[in-house]
Amino acid sequence: MADFYEIDFLPVGNSKSGDAICIRYEIAGQSYIHVVDGGYEEDGQKVLDHLRGYYGSNRIDHVIATHPDGDHTVGLRTVLASAEVGSLWMNRPWAHAEELLPYFSRYTNAENLANALREVFPNLAKLEDIAIERGIPIHDAFQGNMIGEFKVLAPSKAAFLQYVADDDKTPKAAQDATGRGLLGGLVQVVAEGIRMIQAAWGVEAFPAEDTSPRNNMSIIQFTNFFDKNVLLTADAGRAGLVEAATYAASSGVDLPANKFRLFQVPHHGSRHNVSTEALNVWLGEVGDEAQESRSIAAVSAGKDDQDHPRKVVVRAFMHRGAKVFETKGEKIRFSGGAAPAREGWTPITPLTYPTGYEE
C-alpha cells in the first residue's frame, strides 16, 4: 500500500480547456512521479515548475500522452525535452500500420500508411521524435498494461485500431470522393443551439451521439490508494468508459463503486462523453437528493471556458453521490496518507447543484 499520494490538476487554458496532471506517490519510502498530459505549449513549463517546486524533482518516472489532441500533448514537448524521463507511454497509430492495412483499402504498403498516419497525428509524432532523440523508451499503453501503480483499462488494442480507422482525419487517400469515411458514414457537422431547461433532481438528458473516435482513443488509468479508487479518463467517451468498466470488473474491481477518491470527469465535462448508462456502470444509479457524498469528481476546465463543464454532466455526477470540483484557473490537489503539507493551500468549495441543464 502507498505511504502517501498526491494528484495535482494544473490549470490549463482560458477560453478553451485542456489537461495537465502531476502525480506523486510513495511506497515503502520510494517515491514515483507521473505526468499525465501536458496541456498547451505554455503549460509545459508550468508542469516542470510544479514538479520542482512541490515534488523537488526534475525526474519523471512515467509520462503519459493519453491521446493525440493538442490541448493534452503539446506541452509535453517541453517536459520531454527538459526533464529526466524514465518512460513515455502513448499509442502511436503508425506503429501498427501493418495491422491497420485492412482498414485502408487504397494502401497496400505498411510503410506508406505509417508515413501518412504520422502526418495525421503530428502531436504524437513530435513527441516520438523528441523521445528518440533523448533516448527515452516509448511504450504502448493498451488495456492490461501497468504504468507504475496504475492499470490501463482502455483502450484495448482492437478498439484502438478501430478508432484510428474511424477517425475523421485519417489519410484522405483512404476516403472516396463522396466525403464518406472509412466505414461509409457521411461526415457532417451540425450546428446546435443551446438553451437551458429547468429540471427536478435526478432528471438526466444526454445527446444520443458518443464523442469522437479520437477522444475514445484516450488512455484510461485506474488505481486504488487506501482502499479508494482513482480513475483518470482524459477525453474518453462512452465507448471507452464502458470498455474500461467491463475490463475492470473482469479484473476484480467491484463495480459499480461508490467510493472514488477521484473520478476524472471526461473531456472537461462534455455532455457527449458520458451517459446515464455509462455512469450507472461506474457509480451506480441515481440516488436520493439527501444521500451522503461518497466520491469526488474533478473537472479540468479553462478559466473562461463557457462551455465546460456542462451542467447536465455536473448534475449526473451529483446524482450518484459525488462532489464535483473544477480547476477554472486554479490548481487542485487530491492527496492521502502522509502527504506533505503545503503552505498556502486551502480547501476548495465543490460546485453547487445546477437546477437546470442544456437542451
Side-chain angles (χ1 to χ4, degrees), residues 239-277:
L241 290 173
V242 170
E243 183 186 36
T246 301
Y247 180 74
S250 71
S251 301
V253 179
D254 188 16
L255 293 179
N258 62 7
K259 287 185 179 180
F260 271 89
R261 173 55 180 158
L262 176 61
F263 191 121
Q264 183 185 8
V265 178
H267 200 196
H268 325 298
S270 170
R271 61 184 183 163
H272 285 277
N273 290 69
V274 298
S275 65
T276 296
E277 294 75 18

Tab-separated table of all heavy atoms in Angstrom, residues 239-277:
chain	number	residue	atom	x	y	z
A	239	ALA	N	-18.004	4.820	-25.206
A	239	ALA	CA	-17.469	3.521	-25.627
A	239	ALA	C	-16.242	3.156	-24.806
A	239	ALA	O	-16.085	2.021	-24.348
A	239	ALA	CB	-17.131	3.540	-27.112
A	240	GLY	N	-15.357	4.135	-24.600
A	240	GLY	CA	-14.163	3.883	-23.809
A	240	GLY	C	-14.487	3.580	-22.360
A	240	GLY	O	-13.891	2.675	-21.754
A	241	LEU	N	-15.424	4.323	-21.778
A	241	LEU	CA	-15.791	4.100	-20.380
A	241	LEU	C	-16.413	2.735	-20.163
A	241	LEU	O	-16.131	2.055	-19.165
A	241	LEU	CB	-16.755	5.188	-19.916
A	241	LEU	CG	-16.175	6.600	-19.756
A	241	LEU	CD1	-17.289	7.584	-19.450
A	241	LEU	CD2	-15.110	6.640	-18.669
A	242	VAL	N	-17.260	2.312	-21.101
A	242	VAL	CA	-17.901	1.009	-20.953
A	242	VAL	C	-16.882	-0.113	-21.139
A	242	VAL	O	-16.879	-1.100	-20.395
A	242	VAL	CB	-19.067	0.866	-21.952
A	242	VAL	CG1	-19.590	-0.565	-21.975
A	242	VAL	CG2	-20.193	1.827	-21.573
A	243	GLU	N	-15.986	0.033	-22.127
A	243	GLU	CA	-14.950	-0.976	-22.302
A	243	GLU	C	-14.072	-1.057	-21.062
A	243	GLU	O	-13.721	-2.154	-20.594
A	243	GLU	CB	-14.084	-0.668	-23.520
A	243	GLU	CG	-13.028	-1.752	-23.763
A	243	GLU	CD	-12.045	-1.435	-24.862
A	243	GLU	OE1	-11.672	-0.270	-25.017
A	243	GLU	OE2	-11.624	-2.391	-25.557
A	244	ALA	N	-13.721	0.102	-20.494
A	244	ALA	CA	-12.889	0.133	-19.292
A	244	ALA	C	-13.586	-0.532	-18.123
A	244	ALA	O	-12.967	-1.283	-17.349
A	244	ALA	CB	-12.524	1.571	-18.954
A	245	ALA	N	-14.882	-0.270	-17.964
A	245	ALA	CA	-15.627	-0.850	-16.851
A	245	ALA	C	-15.730	-2.362	-16.990
A	245	ALA	O	-15.611	-3.103	-15.995
A	245	ALA	CB	-17.021	-0.234	-16.771
A	246	THR	N	-15.960	-2.827	-18.198
A	246	THR	CA	-16.051	-4.274	-18.429
A	246	THR	C	-14.749	-4.964	-18.064
A	246	THR	O	-14.740	-6.008	-17.394
A	246	THR	CB	-16.400	-4.557	-19.903
A	246	THR	OG1	-17.657	-3.924	-20.213
A	246	THR	CG2	-16.504	-6.048	-20.174
A	247	TYR	N	-13.638	-4.356	-18.473
A	247	TYR	CA	-12.339	-4.942	-18.153
A	247	TYR	C	-12.049	-4.847	-16.653
A	247	TYR	O	-11.524	-5.791	-16.049
A	247	TYR	CB	-11.235	-4.249	-18.945
A	247	TYR	CG	-9.865	-4.813	-18.664
A	247	TYR	CD1	-9.482	-6.050	-19.162
A	247	TYR	CD2	-8.969	-4.114	-17.867
A	247	TYR	CE1	-8.235	-6.579	-18.884
A	247	TYR	CE2	-7.718	-4.622	-17.582
A	247	TYR	CZ	-7.353	-5.867	-18.094
A	247	TYR	OH	-6.117	-6.386	-17.799
A	248	ALA	N	-12.394	-3.722	-16.040
A	248	ALA	CA	-12.158	-3.549	-14.605
A	248	ALA	C	-12.901	-4.611	-13.814
A	248	ALA	O	-12.346	-5.227	-12.890
A	248	ALA	CB	-12.581	-2.151	-14.163
A	249	ALA	N	-14.162	-4.835	-14.166
A	249	ALA	CA	-14.956	-5.835	-13.451
A	249	ALA	C	-14.364	-7.226	-13.611
A	249	ALA	O	-14.328	-8.014	-12.657
A	249	ALA	CB	-16.396	-5.808	-13.954
A	250	SER	N	-13.865	-7.523	-14.814
A	250	SER	CA	-13.256	-8.838	-15.049
A	250	SER	C	-11.928	-8.988	-14.323
A	250	SER	O	-11.441	-10.105	-14.130
A	250	SER	CB	-13.047	-9.064	-16.552
A	250	SER	OG	-12.008	-8.241	-17.056
A	251	SER	N	-11.344	-7.855	-13.905
A	251	SER	CA	-10.068	-7.865	-13.185
A	251	SER	C	-10.249	-7.814	-11.680
A	251	SER	O	-9.274	-7.659	-10.938
A	251	SER	CB	-9.209	-6.672	-13.635
A	251	SER	OG	-8.973	-6.715	-15.023
A	252	GLY	N	-11.508	-7.891	-11.227
A	252	GLY	CA	-11.754	-7.947	-9.795
A	252	GLY	C	-12.178	-6.649	-9.152
A	252	GLY	O	-12.349	-6.594	-7.925
A	253	VAL	N	-12.361	-5.586	-9.935
A	253	VAL	CA	-12.844	-4.330	-9.365
A	253	VAL	C	-14.347	-4.443	-9.163
A	253	VAL	O	-15.088	-4.826	-10.070
A	253	VAL	CB	-12.515	-3.141	-10.294
A	253	VAL	CG1	-13.056	-1.841	-9.700
A	253	VAL	CG2	-11.008	-3.041	-10.522
A	254	ASP	N	-14.796	-4.119	-7.973
A	254	ASP	CA	-16.211	-4.239	-7.630
A	254	ASP	C	-16.970	-3.034	-8.153
A	254	ASP	O	-16.881	-1.935	-7.610
A	254	ASP	CB	-16.358	-4.351	-6.112
A	254	ASP	CG	-17.785	-4.674	-5.689
A	254	ASP	OD1	-18.571	-5.110	-6.556
A	254	ASP	OD2	-18.105	-4.493	-4.497
A	255	LEU	N	-17.716	-3.219	-9.237
A	255	LEU	CA	-18.490	-2.139	-9.841
A	255	LEU	C	-19.973	-2.485	-9.820
A	255	LEU	O	-20.337	-3.660	-9.922
A	255	LEU	CB	-18.033	-1.911	-11.289
A	255	LEU	CG	-16.616	-1.363	-11.486
A	255	LEU	CD1	-16.309	-1.219	-12.971
A	255	LEU	CD2	-16.427	-0.029	-10.779
A	256	PRO	N	-20.840	-1.471	-9.722
A	256	PRO	CA	-20.485	-0.056	-9.561
A	256	PRO	C	-19.873	0.228	-8.198
A	256	PRO	O	-20.225	-0.417	-7.209
A	256	PRO	CB	-21.823	0.665	-9.737
A	256	PRO	CG	-22.843	-0.345	-9.331
A	256	PRO	CD	-22.302	-1.673	-9.761
A	257	ALA	N	-18.946	1.180	-8.178
A	257	ALA	CA	-18.246	1.528	-6.943
A	257	ALA	C	-18.788	2.842	-6.406
A	257	ALA	O	-19.044	3.776	-7.168
A	257	ALA	CB	-16.748	1.649	-7.213
A	258	ASN	N	-18.950	2.943	-5.115
A	258	ASN	CA	-19.486	4.175	-4.537
A	258	ASN	C	-18.446	4.964	-3.756
A	258	ASN	O	-18.790	5.922	-3.073
A	258	ASN	CB	-20.691	3.883	-3.646
A	258	ASN	CG	-20.351	3.004	-2.446
A	258	ASN	OD1	-19.179	2.713	-2.207
A	258	ASN	ND2	-21.372	2.589	-1.722
A	259	LYS	N	-17.186	4.556	-3.866
A	259	LYS	CA	-16.135	5.291	-3.175
A	259	LYS	C	-14.994	5.568	-4.140
A	259	LYS	O	-14.072	4.760	-4.288
A	259	LYS	CB	-15.621	4.512	-1.962
A	259	LYS	CG	-16.586	4.472	-0.791
A	259	LYS	CD	-15.964	3.793	0.416
A	259	LYS	CE	-16.920	3.777	1.594
A	259	LYS	NZ	-16.329	3.116	2.784
A	260	PHE	N	-15.068	6.710	-4.813
A	260	PHE	CA	-13.972	7.159	-5.666
A	260	PHE	C	-13.293	8.330	-4.989
A	260	PHE	O	-13.902	9.378	-4.775
A	260	PHE	CB	-14.494	7.590	-7.040
A	260	PHE	CG	-14.542	6.455	-8.030
A	260	PHE	CD1	-15.664	5.657	-8.129
A	260	PHE	CD2	-13.456	6.169	-8.834
A	260	PHE	CE1	-15.719	4.607	-9.023
A	260	PHE	CE2	-13.489	5.122	-9.734
A	260	PHE	CZ	-14.625	4.329	-9.836
A	261	ARG	N	-12.045	8.098	-4.623
A	261	ARG	CA	-11.270	9.226	-4.110
A	261	ARG	C	-11.140	10.269	-5.205
A	261	ARG	O	-11.120	11.477	-4.935
A	261	ARG	CB	-9.886	8.755	-3.642
A	261	ARG	CG	-8.928	9.861	-3.250
A	261	ARG	CD	-9.512	10.774	-2.187
A	261	ARG	NE	-8.589	11.825	-1.811
A	261	ARG	CZ	-8.967	12.959	-1.248
A	261	ARG	NH1	-10.239	13.174	-0.992
A	261	ARG	NH2	-8.087	13.877	-0.937
A	262	LEU	N	-11.090	9.806	-6.447
A	262	LEU	CA	-11.001	10.726	-7.565
A	262	LEU	C	-11.522	10.049	-8.822
A	262	LEU	O	-11.058	8.981	-9.204
A	262	LEU	CB	-9.551	11.175	-7.780
A	262	LEU	CG	-9.303	12.075	-8.982
A	262	LEU	CD1	-10.084	13.375	-8.854
A	262	LEU	CD2	-7.816	12.363	-9.135
A	263	PHE	N	-12.483	10.674	-9.453
A	263	PHE	CA	-13.002	10.248	-10.746
A	263	PHE	C	-12.867	11.455	-11.658
A	263	PHE	O	-13.559	12.453	-11.473
A	263	PHE	CB	-14.472	9.824	-10.611
A	263	PHE	CG	-15.052	9.115	-11.819
A	263	PHE	CD1	-15.559	7.830	-11.703
A	263	PHE	CD2	-15.114	9.737	-13.053
A	263	PHE	CE1	-16.117	7.171	-12.801
A	263	PHE	CE2	-15.653	9.098	-14.158
A	263	PHE	CZ	-16.162	7.811	-14.024
A	264	GLN	N	-11.968	11.385	-12.625
A	264	GLN	CA	-11.806	12.497	-13.550
A	264	GLN	C	-12.996	12.547	-14.505
A	264	GLN	O	-13.287	11.595	-15.219
A	264	GLN	CB	-10.522	12.364	-14.362
A	264	GLN	CG	-10.280	13.546	-15.295
A	264	GLN	CD	-9.073	13.359	-16.194
A	264	GLN	OE1	-8.477	12.277	-16.249
A	264	GLN	NE2	-8.696	14.402	-16.907
A	265	VAL	N	-13.686	13.667	-14.507
A	265	VAL	CA	-14.816	13.855	-15.416
A	265	VAL	C	-14.254	13.968	-16.832
A	265	VAL	O	-13.416	14.828	-17.100
A	265	VAL	CB	-15.619	15.112	-15.052
A	265	VAL	CG1	-16.758	15.334	-16.040
A	265	VAL	CG2	-16.151	15.000	-13.628
A	266	PRO	N	-14.673	13.094	-17.745
A	266	PRO	CA	-14.041	13.071	-19.073
A	266	PRO	C	-14.257	14.361	-19.866
A	266	PRO	O	-15.299	15.005	-19.771
A	266	PRO	CB	-14.739	11.896	-19.777
A	266	PRO	CG	-15.350	11.087	-18.697
A	266	PRO	CD	-15.686	12.050	-17.600
A	267	HIS	N	-13.241	14.688	-20.643
A	267	HIS	CA	-13.318	15.740	-21.664
A	267	HIS	C	-13.863	17.055	-21.125
A	267	HIS	O	-14.711	17.703	-21.737
A	267	HIS	CB	-14.169	15.271	-22.846
A	267	HIS	CG	-13.917	16.052	-24.102
A	267	HIS	ND1	-14.778	16.010	-25.175
A	267	HIS	CD2	-12.924	16.910	-24.455
A	267	HIS	CE1	-14.329	16.792	-26.139
A	267	HIS	NE2	-13.196	17.346	-25.725
A	268	HIS	N	-13.357	17.438	-19.944
A	268	HIS	CA	-13.664	18.746	-19.368
A	268	HIS	C	-15.149	18.930	-19.060
A	268	HIS	O	-15.621	20.061	-18.919
A	268	HIS	CB	-13.175	19.862	-20.303
A	268	HIS	CG	-11.914	19.522	-21.027
A	268	HIS	ND1	-10.737	19.272	-20.363
A	268	HIS	CD2	-11.655	19.329	-22.355
A	268	HIS	CE1	-9.787	18.956	-21.251
A	268	HIS	NE2	-10.331	18.974	-22.454
A	269	GLY	N	-15.861	17.818	-18.972
A	269	GLY	CA	-17.280	17.890	-18.662
A	269	GLY	C	-18.178	17.983	-19.873
A	269	GLY	O	-19.298	18.491	-19.794
A	270	SER	N	-17.716	17.453	-21.005
A	270	SER	CA	-18.547	17.452	-22.213
A	270	SER	C	-19.713	16.479	-22.063
A	270	SER	O	-19.561	15.380	-21.527
A	270	SER	CB	-17.703	17.052	-23.421
A	270	SER	OG	-18.524	16.832	-24.556
A	271	ARG	N	-20.860	16.858	-22.593
A	271	ARG	CA	-22.049	16.016	-22.453
A	271	ARG	C	-22.090	14.848	-23.438
A	271	ARG	O	-22.964	13.988	-23.334
A	271	ARG	CB	-23.307	16.871	-22.591
A	271	ARG	CG	-23.439	17.566	-23.927
A	271	ARG	CD	-24.649	18.466	-23.936
A	271	ARG	NE	-24.830	19.080	-25.240
A	271	ARG	CZ	-25.963	19.636	-25.633
A	271	ARG	NH1	-27.010	19.637	-24.836
A	271	ARG	NH2	-26.065	20.181	-26.822
A	272	HIS	N	-21.160	14.831	-24.403
A	272	HIS	CA	-21.111	13.709	-25.342
A	272	HIS	C	-20.218	12.571	-24.838
A	272	HIS	O	-20.109	11.551	-25.507
A	272	HIS	CB	-20.604	14.180	-26.707
A	272	HIS	CG	-21.614	14.962	-27.489
A	272	HIS	ND1	-22.596	14.369	-28.246
A	272	HIS	CD2	-21.798	16.302	-27.594
A	272	HIS	CE1	-23.337	15.302	-28.816
A	272	HIS	NE2	-22.885	16.488	-28.429
A	273	ASN	N	-19.576	12.757	-23.700
A	273	ASN	CA	-18.613	11.758	-23.218
A	273	ASN	C	-19.167	10.823	-22.163
A	273	ASN	O	-18.603	9.754	-21.926
A	273	ASN	CB	-17.372	12.456	-22.680
A	273	ASN	CG	-16.555	13.087	-23.784
A	273	ASN	OD1	-16.983	14.065	-24.398
A	273	ASN	ND2	-15.392	12.531	-24.066
A	274	VAL	N	-20.237	11.214	-21.508
A	274	VAL	CA	-20.864	10.345	-20.520
A	274	VAL	C	-22.342	10.181	-20.863
A	274	VAL	O	-22.892	10.913	-21.684
A	274	VAL	CB	-20.709	10.898	-19.086
A	274	VAL	CG1	-19.248	10.987	-18.688
A	274	VAL	CG2	-21.382	12.261	-18.956
A	275	SER	N	-22.956	9.236	-20.223
A	275	SER	CA	-24.385	8.991	-20.382
A	275	SER	C	-24.897	8.377	-19.093
A	275	SER	O	-24.114	7.944	-18.234
A	275	SER	CB	-24.649	8.035	-21.551
A	275	SER	OG	-24.105	6.756	-21.268
A	276	THR	N	-26.201	8.334	-18.960
A	276	THR	CA	-26.792	7.697	-17.785
A	276	THR	C	-26.319	6.257	-17.669
A	276	THR	O	-25.919	5.797	-16.590
A	276	THR	CB	-28.324	7.745	-17.873
A	276	THR	OG1	-28.735	9.121	-17.847
A	276	THR	CG2	-28.966	7.001	-16.718
A	277	GLU	N	-26.306	5.543	-18.787
A	277	GLU	CA	-25.934	4.132	-18.774
A	277	GLU	C	-24.468	3.940	-18.395
A	277	GLU	O	-24.137	3.069	-17.581
A	277	GLU	CB	-26.215	3.505	-20.145
A	277	GLU	CG	-27.675	3.442	-20.535
A	277	GLU	CD	-28.251	4.791	-20.959
A	277	GLU	OE1	-27.457	5.717	-21.278
A	277	GLU	OE2	-29.490	4.929	-20.955
